[in-house]
Amino acid sequence: MLNVIYEDNHLLIVEKPPNLLTQGDATGDPCLADMAKAYLKEKYNKPGDVYLGLVHRLDRPVGGLVALARTSKAASRLSDQLRTHAMQREYLAVVHGADIAANGTCTGYLLDENGTVRCVPEGTKDAKQAVLHWDTLGTRDDLALLHVRLETGRKHQIRVQLANQGHPIVQDMRYGTDPPGEPIALWGARLILTHPIQKNTMRFYSVPKGKAFDGFQAEIDEWIIKEKI
């Protein structure tokens, strides 16, 4: 079932579960966009196709908040916010290595090679600059809970850059070494945007789900409470 966080005539904010495609691909597997269209079609008894603009995506293994536009005008304005970084997408992640710094910035260049991304030297052909910031919210055993903020939205950026720092995300099957069995410990936990029509600032939160986050529930609750103040 679709977990709707917020809905009005212009905007639909939903929580994507891990391991669900945001948008359909060649696999033909179910995707969030189709689920949201089916939800709107049934709820409002709409004939024919339902318009729904996909503003941004989450990697298939990643859960969290996704913004969808219900009108073309809303889609255009939200896309502009994303392009100019006025829309803020923030993540919580559990990484290996409790020795990670209290805060820091990753700046580098990423190259996508047939779906797998790696860090490369500046000046590498087709590489794109990637910048993210993190704060460490807590540590347990040899794990750390991070709050991650993006300056750029490159493919697999958080996963690749943290792994390159020696702190791969727990249960990252592509860029880490954990065995399969649990969802990746990366979650789109906060989304800040300006309503495309009403122009007011809106903040949405989603509590991460997955075994790796269970030991950090107190830190997660504290972060959400602090951010809401």
Side-chain angles (χ1 to χ4, degrees), residues 98-221:
D99 59 340
I100 192 169
N103 52 70
T105 297
C106 291
T107 301
Y109 290 83
L110 303 182
L111 182 66
D112 184 354
E113 297 178 312
N114 299 317
T116 296
V117 179
R118 63 186 180 94
C119 294
V120 296
E122 183 179 357
T124 300
K125 186 174 185 282
D126 297 326
K128 296 180 179 180
Q129 187 178 40
V131 182
L132 64 78
H133 310 279
W134 84 83
D135 296 297
T136 301
L137 302 181
T139 60
R140 174 175 61 84
D141 300 326
D142 193 36
L143 303 177
L145 174 69
L146 307 184
H147 167 218
V148 181
R149 306 179 311 283
L150 296 176
E151 278 194 30
T152 54
R154 308 305 184 196
K155 180 178 179 179
H156 296 180
Q157 178 181 343
I158 300 173
R159 300 162 64 185
V160 175
Q161 288 194 292
L162 290 176
N164 191 60
Q165 293 286 317
H167 298 282
I169 296 174
V170 173
Q171 296 299 141
D172 190 339
M173 298 294 103
R174 179 167 296 195
Y175 301 105
T177 58
D178 291 325
E182 293 290 334
I184 187 173
L186 178 62
W187 196 271
R190 182 162 79 156
L191 180 63
I192 303 175
L193 54 83
T194 300
H195 192 281
I197 306 301
Q198 300 167 4
K199 305 300 184 182
N200 56 304
T201 300
M202 307 182 78
R203 294 176 172 85
F204 304 99
Y205 297 85
S206 172
V207 177
K209 299 169 181 62
K211 186 176 180 180
F213 289 106
D214 290 347
F216 293 103
Q217 199 57 57
E219 291 88 346
I220 292 170
D221 291 344

Side-chain angles (χ1 to χ4, degrees), residues 3-113:
N3 186 4
V4 177
I5 305 300
Y6 175 85
E7 177 184 351
D8 64 23
N9 291 335
H10 310 280
L11 189 61
L12 184 67
I13 307 296
V14 298
E15 184 183 80
K16 185 182 90 67
N19 299 318
L20 176 70
L21 289 168
T22 305
Q23 186 177 33
D25 65 7
T27 66
D29 292 343
C31 70
L32 183 73
D34 287 347
M35 291 173 60
K37 286 182 179 181
Y39 161 81
L40 293 171
K41 185 177 181 68
E42 180 178 357
K43 181 173 180 178
Y44 298 103
N45 194 27
K46 286 183 172 288
D49 291 336
V50 173
Y51 178 85
L52 195 65
L54 183 62
V55 179
H56 63 98
R57 297 168 178 80
L58 290 176
D59 292 348
R60 182 170 187 160
V62 180
L65 296 167
V66 175
L68 302 163
R70 294 191 57 194
T71 66
S72 58
K73 179 182 288 188
S76 176
R77 292 178 177 178
L78 290 171
S79 294
D80 285 344
Q81 291 181 41
L82 187 67
R83 178 178 51 81
T84 61
H85 309 299
M87 180 186 295
Q88 299 176 46
R89 296 178 294 154
E90 302 180 11
Y91 299 78
L92 294 178
V94 179
V95 300
H96 289 285
D99 59 340
I100 192 169
N103 52 70
T105 297
C106 291
T107 301
Y109 290 83
L110 303 182
L111 182 66
D112 184 354
E113 297 178 312

